[in-house]
Amino acid sequence: MEKTSIHGMWSSRLAFILAATGSAVGLGNIWRFPYLASDNGGGAFVLVYLGCILLIGLPVLIAEIAIGRHGRRSPITTLAQITRDTAVSRGWTGIGWIGIVAGVLILSFYSVVGGWTLRYAWLYLSQLFGGDPITDPPAVFGALLADPGELLLWHGLFMGLTVGVVALGVEKGLERAVRFLMPALFLTLLLLVAYGATTGHLGQAAAFLFRPDWAKVDAGVLVAALGQAFFTLSLGMCTMMTYGAYLPDRVSIPRTGLIVGLCDTTVALMAGLAIFPIVIAFGLDPEGGGAGLIFTSLPLAFEAMTGGIAYGLAFFGLLFVAAWTSSISLLEPATAYLVERGRMGRKPAALMMAGICWVLGLVTVFSFNVWSHVRVLDRDLMGFIELIANDIMLPLGGLLIALFAGWVLRDGILREQLDGMPQWGFTVWRWLLRVLCPLLVAAVLINALF
Ligand code: PHE
């Protein structure tokens, strides 16, 4: 009989693909990817990023799902059990702990930005009923950031919606949420790319995104691209391990992993091709857009196009949805772990973790106003949290997962999970994990730290 997870199971292969894609596709693709490309010189960043996805992201993604399904528990419990069964150092359990800490840090700022998407969806909704148009997007965005009370409100609302789903559990909460929302998101992006094409600047945007200027690739670009590759695929913090734990045995891990990776990359590139034509068409500089890029550029297009208000509502509504299906996956691993410790039910566990993340989110909220003068390592406080969590902890977690799956785990365990994979594929995958991933990640991290 199939071993199942006590937290519930995905009902089908499609359910897992939607949930994992829902986790992967989020603010990372539509908010973060375009502005990182903008800040890091376009093509040079994008190509390094694509390389990282292919050579590091996909192998680690497959490893995480396989480890998760083997254990069928939260990452910490799964890792503890494997180390016990195979008599290796319990220290490997630390991967799970890195994951929980990274997840808490990421959710703390993710929810604040998720709150922005709610705020903007609301702005467009109220325009439908006669509210003021957004004639000066940078001013509107600036006013939002300057007001801690307002930011806290939307941050709280976003976090509340996240706990709501996680508290309901895997089938009734997570799976039900992603079923309709993900296809709708894809469609909206497609329409926005089509609009971008009508501006006549699609070619310029593509050139900006894909023409590499290798002279621009420095340590900073490498760190940003690697961190983004982990962030966008939800890797390095055991999210995919957790989702893998709920995956039925009959589903092929390599195949679904590839589908998830492909969908995620496609959405990021589409977001770039939707946003940069608009940026260029409105005479903005595609370089150095910063974290506000989509909030200050897209409203210009929405005001100019026919039906733009409904369109703006659809876009920010769906951006919220993308963020939502990702934030539930940020909360799930820690929640599952608390439930397994046996002292709490799912609801209080989810509520407690979300509460911690909400409070920590105050740092991000204040980084835009009362603490905006504070700089750590040349970044504002939110940028500093992103550096620690996304650019250092996720790659570090991913590095350890690669080493663990590459060198520590027995062949038998992995072969059992990846049984449909041809032998040559398995060998290539294993050596990527053993040598290439650790070397590349370590090189970038060491470069970044020193
Ligand atoms: N992948 C999500 C995004 O791109 C963010 C995320 C990171 C979610 C890590 C879960 C774990 O928005």
Side-chain angles (χ1 to χ4, degrees):
M1 227 203 42
E2 179 170 4
K3 188 173 152 199
T4 54
S5 142
I6 55 166
H7 305 288
M9 297 285 284
W10 306 119
S11 66
S12 64
R13 177 177 112 116
L14 181 67
F16 171 77
I17 291 178
L18 290 173
T21 309
S23 167
V25 171
L27 294 172
N29 307 60
I30 303 169
W31 162 67
R32 204 165 184 264
F33 171 76
Y35 93 73
L36 284 181
S38 165
D39 289 353
N40 289 287
F45 169 84
V46 175
L47 293 173
V48 176
Y49 158 83
L50 290 175
C52 291
I53 294 276
L54 199 68
L55 293 175
I56 303 172
L58 288 176
V60 173
L61 174 63
I62 291 171
E64 278 205 29
I65 302 174
I67 296 172
R69 187 164 75 178
H70 170 76
R72 292 245 180 267
R73 290 279 180 279
S74 80
I76 294 178
T77 315
T78 289
L79 291 165
Q81 190 176 334
I82 297 177
T83 57
R84 220 176 304 119
D85 292 350
T86 50
V88 294
S89 161
R90 258 190 82 94
W92 290 104
T93 314
I95 296 173
W97 287 105
I98 293 180
I100 291 208
V101 175
V104 167
L105 287 174
I106 293 175
L107 187 52
S108 81
F109 75 78
Y110 205 88
S111 167
V112 175
V113 180
W116 302 350
T117 67
L118 277 174
R119 165 72 185 144
Y120 271 71
W122 176 251
L123 273 176
Y124 282 99
L125 187 69
S126 53
Q127 275 190 68
L128 278 183
F129 297 99
D132 293 335
I134 305 178
T135 43
D136 185 358
V140 171
F141 188 62
L144 172 63
L145 294 192
D147 185 344
E150 171 120 22
L151 286 173
L152 271 181
L153 178 79
W154 296 106
H155 165 46
L157 198 62
F158 185 88
M159 194 68 91
L161 291 165
T162 302
V163 196
V165 174
V166 175
L168 285 175
V170 176
E171 291 103 338
K172 289 212 190 77
L174 278 61
E175 181 169 329
R176 237 186 3 193
V178 295
R179 254 185 201 274
F180 300 102
L181 300 176
M182 296 314 297
L185 174 79
F186 209 70
L187 207 72
T188 311
L189 262 183
L190 212 60
L191 287 173
L192 204 53
V193 177
Y195 175 78
T198 67
T199 63
H201 295 284
L202 198 60
Q204 263 168 287
F208 175 70
L209 280 174
F210 300 114
R211 190 178 302 143
D213 178 357
W214 296 117
K216 286 199 176 131
V217 180
D218 57 12
V221 172
L222 290 178
V223 173
L226 183 73
Q228 173 64 5
F230 278 100
F231 184 80
T232 191
L233 288 176
S234 309
L235 296 177
M237 58 151 286
C238 306
T239 286
M240 289 298 179
M241 208 184 276
T242 310
Y243 275 20
Y246 313 151
L247 179 65
D249 280 339
R250 57 180 191 281
V251 178
S252 156
I253 291 178
R255 197 166 323 142
T256 40
L258 285 181
I259 294 175
V260 171
L262 199 71
C263 288
D264 184 70
T265 308
T266 309
V267 171
L269 297 179
M270 274 167 61
L273 289 176
I275 289 157
F276 285 108
I278 294 172
V279 170
I280 295 166
F282 284 90
L284 305 171
D285 187 356
E287 290 208 38
L293 181 67
I294 61 167
F295 297 93
T296 52
S297 67
L298 290 183
L300 290 170
F302 296 145
E303 295 303 325
M305 61 205 267
T306 31
I309 295 178
Y311 210 80
L313 175 60
F315 178 80
F316 284 107
L318 286 163
L319 183 56
F320 153 69
V321 165
W324 193 22
T325 54
S326 298
S327 65
I328 57 184
S329 77
L330 283 161
L331 191 57
E332 175 65 22
T335 303
Y337 176 65
L338 282 183
V339 171
E340 282 167 10
R341 293 297 303 254
R343 304 206 186 99
M344 277 188 192
R346 177 170 268 272
K347 287 194 180 72
L351 214 59
M352 189 179 109
M353 289 315 300
I356 294 173
C357 296
W358 186 82
V359 172
L360 212 65
L362 295 180
V363 177
T364 293
V365 165
F366 293 147
S367 80
F368 299 113
N369 33 70
V370 282
W371 291 341
S372 60
H373 56 283
V374 180
R375 300 256 137 198
V376 191
L377 294 180
D378 212 23
R379 291 159 183 253
D380 59 21
L381 284 169
M382 173 171 142
F384 178 65
I385 296 179
E386 281 187 85
L387 174 74
I388 299 293
N390 300 5
D391 295 349
I392 295 179
M393 293 186 78
L394 294 187
L396 183 66
L399 169 79
L400 293 172
I401 290 167
L403 289 175
F404 186 67
W407 296 102
V408 180
L409 268 183
R410 278 199 314 261
D411 252 21
I413 292 182
L414 292 170
R415 279 261 54 150
E416 185 183 75
Q417 292 304 325
L418 305 175
D419 58 357
M421 203 177 193
Q423 184 58 42
W424 67 265
F426 185 79
T427 310
V428 170
W429 171 73
R430 204 84 196 279
W431 282 102
L432 283 175
L433 290 178
R434 285 188 167 159
V435 181
L436 198 73
C437 299
L439 280 182
L440 288 178
V441 176
V444 174
L445 278 181
I446 289 169
N447 217 321
L449 293 174
F450 306 103

